[in-house]
Amino acid sequence: MLAKKKFRPVIRENPQSQTAIRGRGASWSPANRFERLHVDLTNPDAVDAGCETEETPRPRTQYFRDGTKSIITRNTSPDVGFETSLNPYRGCEHGCIYCYARPTHEYLGFSAGLDFESKIIVKPNAPELLRAELESPRWHPQTLVLSGVTDPYQPIERKLCITRGCLEVLAKFRNPVAIITKNRLVTRDIDLLCELAQHNAVAVNVSVTSLDSDLQR
């Protein structure tokens, strides 16, 4: 009889021991399942004792440029309610602890914990890439979901206007778009949304979080 193999985790982690970080959804950085080396700088055992403070500092958000050459993501999963999506960013500063997109950050070499909400990938050339794909004869007009693995209205969107640039392209082509967001910044683009609405080509889904049970209904 073959002996059962005993698998051991690369890093021993105890999330219950982590202190909550104000302004962040996650309080620690779990090990990346694809990486053999892992250092959690939120773990007091991993840093110099002389650097300890009374309150765990909030990690500063870092931004990384994505040099992708395509912008429309396609999927054939029967469990996903759309076939095509557009992600101007990857990672999300909203930091919802339950977000299904967190594990996707591991494909980039980051953690699904704090890294997901503090290391944001930006795609500044997304509008140009989108224009090129919509102009292609291979494109068959269909609803694009904005977005699949991030919120298209990240705080940095106020400055970069990547999502707005994509909406300008979609409005020009009158291509349908469905937006999923938690950020009121979507109201900034009401002019473009109205333009798309004239062609019945837009839907905006806003998630509202509240402790008021009546409002939740």
Side-chain angles (χ1 to χ4, degrees):
M1 182 177 179
L2 295 176
K4 293 183 178 180
K5 291 184 178 181
K6 187 175 182 180
F7 294 94
R8 297 180 179 178
V10 177
I11 301 295
R12 291 185 178 180
E13 299 168 320
N14 183 17
Q16 288 77 16
S17 66
Q18 302 299 322
T19 303
I21 299 177
R22 183 178 179 83
R24 293 296 184 187
S27 59
W28 63 308
S29 295
N32 186 319
R33 54 186 162 160
F34 303 118
E35 303 290 341
R36 296 182 61 85
L37 179 64
H38 171 69
V39 177
D40 182 3
L41 295 180
T42 64
N43 187 338
D45 295 332
V47 298
D48 187 357
C51 297
E52 295 179 1
T53 59
E54 294 182 0
E55 182 178 351
T56 303
R58 174 180 176 176
R60 294 184 59 183
T61 301
Q62 296 176 288
Y63 301 98
F64 302 85
R65 181 186 295 268
D66 188 336
T68 184
K69 296 182 179 180
S70 62
I71 197 62
I72 295 178
T73 301
R74 295 171 172 80
N75 78 82
T76 57
S77 172
D79 299 322
V80 180
F82 54 86
E83 296 181 0
T84 55
S85 61
L86 169 65
N87 299 290
Y89 304 92
R90 294 187 68 175
C92 184
E93 276 202 83
H94 294 340
C96 302
I97 198 63
Y98 53 79
C99 183
Y100 67 86
R102 282 184 176 273
T104 64
H105 234 44
E106 294 184 327
Y107 294 112
L108 304 175
F110 296 131
S111 164
L114 276 172
D115 284 354
F116 178 75
E117 54 197 82
S118 63
K119 291 180 170 56
I120 307 300
I121 310 300
V122 301
K123 304 176 182 179
N125 60 338
E128 291 76 15
L129 292 173
L130 178 60
R131 183 186 303 276
E133 295 208 40
L134 296 187
E135 287 178 342
S136 172
R138 293 177 298 178
W139 172 251
H140 299 287
Q142 57 186 292
T143 300
L144 274 171
V145 172
L146 191 66
S147 296
V149 295
T150 187
D151 190 310
Y153 288 98
Q154 294 296 304
I156 194 65
E157 168 64 18
R158 292 181 181 276
K159 177 180 179 180
L160 300 183
C161 295
I162 300 175
T163 295
R164 180 172 177 83
C166 291
L167 287 176
E168 290 174 345
V169 174
L170 291 167
K172 179 179 180 180
F173 284 83
R174 299 181 183 178
N175 194 94
V177 59
I179 300 173
I180 305 173
T181 184
K182 282 189 171 183
N183 198 329
R184 66 184 298 272
L185 184 59
V186 66
T187 59
R188 177 201 64 184
D189 299 332
I190 194 68
D191 56 326
L192 294 172
L193 300 180
C194 288
E195 183 177 344
L196 284 161
Q198 292 177 0
H199 307 287
N200 195 28
V202 66
V204 178
N205 303 276
V206 180
S207 176
V208 179
T209 303
S210 174
L211 297 177
D212 187 329
S213 57
D214 293 331
L215 183 60
Q216 288 176 1
R217 296 192 185 97

